[in-house]
Amino acid sequence: MKRLIMIVVILAILGFIAIQFIPVDRTNPPVTREIAWNSPETRALAQRACFDCHSNETVWPAYAYVAPISLMLAEHVADGRDQLNFSEWDGRNEGYEEIVEVVTSGKMPLPNYLLLHPQSRLSETEKQTLLDGLALTYEQDPPR
């Protein structure tokens, strides 16, 4: 029994080491066209709560280089950029209504993201300020 446990532990360690070699895309492509924000405050709120997954200005923390977390983060960022990318406003982006729904429902920022980034948590007042600013921003500069 002791030998079996040792084999399982060794295999787990080897598996952990092996997954470190899976390539992970942690690039930040160039900004093709940033949204024309209605105010610096709206941009600051979006940057604080949204940019790590919804822009090409992702800050990749140290744990983003350790699998399996690196794999999960890269997938979250890729999915986030596909849905809404403030750095590629000339591409396909979610509409304002979808943003309102996910922000007011508490689906965004993701709860597991908030655990490691508590500064990204927005108060109800900040959420409303962000949504009001985004409404004006979408009005003056809709995605193309």
Side-chain angles (χ1 to χ4, degrees):
M1 185 65 172
K2 199 174 187 181
R3 184 173 183 195
L4 178 62
I5 292 171
M6 193 62 146
I7 290 171
V8 169
V9 168
I10 289 171
L11 289 175
I13 290 170
L14 290 175
F16 179 77
I17 292 169
I19 66 172
Q20 302 310 309
F21 295 100
I22 296 173
V24 176
D25 182 12
R26 286 180 290 270
T27 59
N28 282 332
V31 174
T32 58
R33 185 170 95 72
E34 185 172 347
I35 187 170
W37 300 95
N38 76 305
S39 73
E41 181 183 21
T42 303
R43 186 186 194 285
L45 287 169
Q47 185 174 28
R48 190 174 111 204
C50 312
F51 268 37
D52 272 348
C53 292
H54 296 285
S55 80
N56 295 347
E57 300 175 42
T58 303
V59 175
W60 297 98
Y63 58 82
Y65 294 85
V66 180
I69 295 169
S70 60
L71 301 167
M72 181 190 69
L73 286 178
E75 183 178 336
H76 279 234
V77 171
D79 290 346
R81 287 176 179 170
D82 283 345
Q83 296 298 313
L84 173 69
N85 191 333
F86 293 119
S87 299
E88 295 181 6
W89 209 236
D90 48 355
R92 185 189 93 58
N93 281 291
E94 289 286 339
Y96 175 72
E97 295 78 22
E98 288 84 5
I99 295 172
V100 171
E101 195 276 316
V102 297
V103 170
T104 56
S105 69
K107 292 178 185 173
M108 288 289 152
L110 293 172
N112 60 354
Y113 177 79
L114 291 172
L115 286 173
L116 295 171
H117 302 89
Q119 72 279 5
S120 298
R121 186 177 309 277
L122 299 177
S123 69
E124 291 304 315
T125 303
E126 289 172 322
K127 284 181 187 179
Q128 193 56 56
T129 300
L130 174 62
L131 293 174
D132 291 345
L134 281 174
L136 293 171
T137 299
Y138 264 78
E139 214 173 275
Q140 72 187 23
D141 185 23
R144 297 183 185 119

